[in-house]
Amino acid sequence: SESQYDYEVYHSLEEIQNWMFEMNRSRPELVTMLSLGKSYEGRPLFVLQLGKRSCLQKKSVWIDCGVHAREWIGPAFCQWFVKEALSTYKYDSVMTRLLNHLDFFIMPVFNVDGYRFSWNTDRFWRKTRSKNHKFHCRGVDANRNWKVKWCDEGASSHPCDDTYCGPFPESEPEVKAVAKFLRKHKRHMKAYISIHAYAQMLLYPYSYKYAAIPNFNCVESAAQNAVTALYSAYGVRYRYGPAATTLYVSSGSSIDWAYKNGIPYAFAFELRDTGHFGFLLPESLIKPTCTETLKAVKAIASGLLKKC
Amino acid sequence: YQYNNRYAGDQVFRITLTNDTEVQALKKILELIKMDFWQPNSASLIHRNATVDVHVKRNDTQRLHARLKLEKIKYRMLIADLQKEIEKQTGYRSSRKRR
């Protein structure tokens, strides 16, 4: 049951999906479970919609975790977010206001096939698990498969490479399903947040060019508020800024696609750490990492309820 | 052991590149030794003043040590034994229970 679920350990895909069913069953006033479609290997792509029911259409926030299979702290954070949202609704004024005025769409595991493969076979798998009939290698980098500056610098057109962009944009059913959902809800979707690891950064568009986004001031301010909130928890510093200048110019990723498709605030978090454990962040660090990241996400969401 | 102990002896190097000569030298090494890029995500994103984290199989670690020393490229060990870290990550919970 919900009270026994341990949010400070990593969970298998099956455990996470059972947990989602339980969230949906136990908190019907705030939770609706959706399925966006099927993965390459036929697994359901589940999403939890969080928010007080309302007959008025509310602004929405999308959060996906686990685009890259080996980045386990992502799914841990998505589950942490849901747990904190549900347990602090009506007790924490900020979360109460957020759930009353916003709908959150949380996808704890975007790359369900890859995540499962990283649990059972290859701990450092990154890609999806699609097959390429001409090559023995499998999988596409789901963050290089979006229809924006597709397969450019920093992506590879070779199926055996970790940054393989795929045979064509949205070739991956997981990416296609999420893109279709976001396109359908774009009028109300005000923020897109993608959780990755590791590097301790908060990035926003563009990745593929040095130009500044039109609403740079508002997005930069939201990012600054977010990393300030994050720092307030344990004093961990995050770098933030446009992906192209903060990291390197690379081909389009999901945040560029979201922004290009009209979602005004698009962020990618690279969570802890900066390389000491890398993808192997110990379970003992799940709580502090998720606690600080929650503060950042709440800061971003709160900003949506203000004018900028 | 998890993953059938396949990561025993594998290591993660952090390589710091200070100039273009070192960038080219590392790219040459990459042609000889297969590495899994942790950061950045691919070899094409390696550039001057970048830190590069790579996962190297146990049979290649000595060769990489030697090549980096030969090229006088600065590096340090981030993870000396990946299998140990994997076991530690999930707190030695029994793999059967997890799976």
Side-chain angles (χ1 to χ4, degrees):
Chain A
S1 72
E2 207 280 332
S3 60
Q4 290 170 316
Y5 196 77
D6 189 346
Y7 291 91
E8 297 186 42
V9 298
Y10 294 109
H11 288 279
S12 69
L13 179 66
E14 288 75 15
E15 288 168 345
I16 294 171
Q17 286 175 340
N18 289 336
W19 165 81
M20 292 177 81
F21 280 114
E22 177 58 21
M23 291 298 102
N24 184 52
R25 186 199 65 76
S26 59
R27 299 299 299 271
E29 80 284 8
L30 285 175
V31 178
T32 306
M33 189 162 172
L34 314 172
S35 174
L36 302 195
K38 290 278 181 16
S39 69
Y40 180 84
E41 293 181 340
R43 291 184 177 86
L45 300 171
F46 286 138
V47 168
L48 291 180
Q49 179 181 347
L50 300 187
K52 186 182 173 199
R53 292 181 190 286
S54 158
C55 22
L56 294 176
Q57 180 58 62
K58 295 153 67 178
K59 290 180 181 178
S60 302
V61 177
W62 167 277
I63 303 177
D64 64 49
C65 297
V67 165
H68 294 135
R70 60 192 179 187
E71 300 167 14
W72 287 8
I73 188 63
F77 172 70
C78 265
Q79 293 169 80
W80 189 275
F81 181 89
V82 171
K83 175 260 285 187
E84 281 297 311
L86 298 181
S87 61
T88 62
Y89 181 69
K90 291 201 171 148
Y91 300 102
D92 170 65
S93 59
V94 172
M95 188 59 87
T96 304
R97 189 155 172 269
L98 291 177
L99 291 178
N100 285 344
H101 293 92
L102 297 172
D103 278 329
F104 289 86
F105 293 89
I106 313 292
M107 189 175 200
V109 186
F110 182 113
N111 177 5
V112 288
D113 301 340
Y115 186 76
R116 192 166 190 290
F117 192 72
S118 78
W119 264 73
N120 297 335
T121 310
D122 181 342
R123 175 63 191 78
F124 303 108
W125 189 257
R126 167 182 168 91
K127 302 189 281 184
T128 60
R129 290 295 299 165
S130 54
K131 270 188 189 136
N132 182 299
H133 301 294
K134 284 187 228 133
F135 288 84
H136 69 283
C137 303
R138 286 184 143 209
V140 167
D141 183 339
N143 213 18
R144 300 284 185 278
N145 191 231
W146 298 81
K147 199 170 181 179
V148 59
K149 205 76 172 149
W150 174 72
C151 217
D152 202 271
E153 176 90 24
S156 167
S157 52
H158 194 294
C160 294
D161 285 345
D162 244 0
T163 51
Y164 177 44
C165 53
F168 51 89
E170 296 187 26
S171 62
E172 301 312 283
E174 299 86 347
V175 174
K176 192 171 186 63
V178 170
K180 187 179 167 197
F181 180 85
L182 291 173
R183 277 192 283 263
K184 184 181 167 193
H185 290 86
K186 68 184 224 179
R187 252 180 354 110
H188 312 293
M189 200 64 74
K190 299 305 174 191
Y192 168 86
I193 296 174
S194 190
I195 306 291
H196 293 257
Y198 59 91
Q200 294 180 189
M201 289 181 190
L202 177 57
L203 305 168
Y204 55 82
Y206 297 112
S207 308
Y208 54 91
K209 60 183 178 182
Y210 287 115
I213 50 177
N215 64 337
F216 170 79
N217 290 332
C218 292
V219 172
E220 171 79 358
S221 160
Q224 190 177 32
N225 290 342
V227 300
T228 303
L230 189 145
Y231 176 85
S232 71
Y234 300 100
V236 172
R237 289 188 191 286
Y238 267 48
R239 292 171 58 209
Y240 68 95
T245 48
T246 312
L247 266 181
Y248 32 76
V249 170
S250 78
S251 67
S253 65
S254 65
I255 60 173
D256 299 292
W257 181 90
Y259 192 77
K260 185 183 165 196
N261 277 269
I263 299 175
Y265 293 84
F267 294 102
F269 277 88
E270 292 278 357
L271 299 190
R272 291 194 199 188
D273 61 23
T274 54
H276 184 73
F277 292 109
F279 301 122
L280 296 176
L281 201 72
E283 290 176 327
S284 56
L285 292 179
I286 289 176
K287 182 174 181 179
T289 303
C290 292
T291 301
E292 66 195 10
T293 308
L294 178 68
K295 285 182 176 289
V297 169
K298 283 170 78 174
I300 290 170
S302 297
L304 300 179
L305 300 180
K306 295 173 197 147
K307 268 223 177 309
C308 179
Chain B
Y1 286 114
Q2 296 176 56
Y3 305 97
N4 298 320
N5 207 29
R6 67 182 275 188
Y7 299 104
D10 287 11
Q11 297 179 324
V12 178
F13 287 57
R14 171 157 286 182
I15 301 166
T16 307
L17 303 169
T18 51
N19 57 52
D20 289 332
T21 309
E22 289 182 356
V23 169
Q24 294 313 314
L26 181 58
K27 286 189 174 179
K28 264 219 178 314
I29 295 172
L30 284 169
E31 291 164 15
L32 303 171
I33 302 175
K34 187 167 173 26
M35 303 178 202
D36 172 22
F37 271 76
W38 281 26
Q39 200 173 260
N41 305 149
S42 77
S44 68
L45 298 172
I46 295 176
H47 53 80
R48 194 177 23 180
N49 300 323
T51 57
V52 179
D53 296 350
V54 285
H55 162 199
V56 182
K57 293 258 177 254
R58 67 171 166 263
N59 296 336
D60 293 323
T61 55
Q62 289 315 308
R63 266 202 307 156
L64 182 58
H65 276 291
R67 289 304 301 252
L68 291 172
K69 278 202 175 74
L70 187 69
E71 304 285 352
K72 293 190 177 45
I73 294 176
K74 212 170 119 214
Y75 74 94
R76 65 186 175 91
M77 193 57 59
L78 281 182
I79 299 177
D81 189 313
L82 257 184
Q83 188 69 35
K84 281 203 180 91
E85 281 309 316
I86 285 173
E87 304 294 345
K88 271 166 60 184
Q89 177 177 46
T90 49
Y92 290 101
R93 271 181 299 142
S94 72
S95 57
R96 190 178 303 106
K97 180 167 176 301
R98 263 196 327 111
R99 285 196 182 71

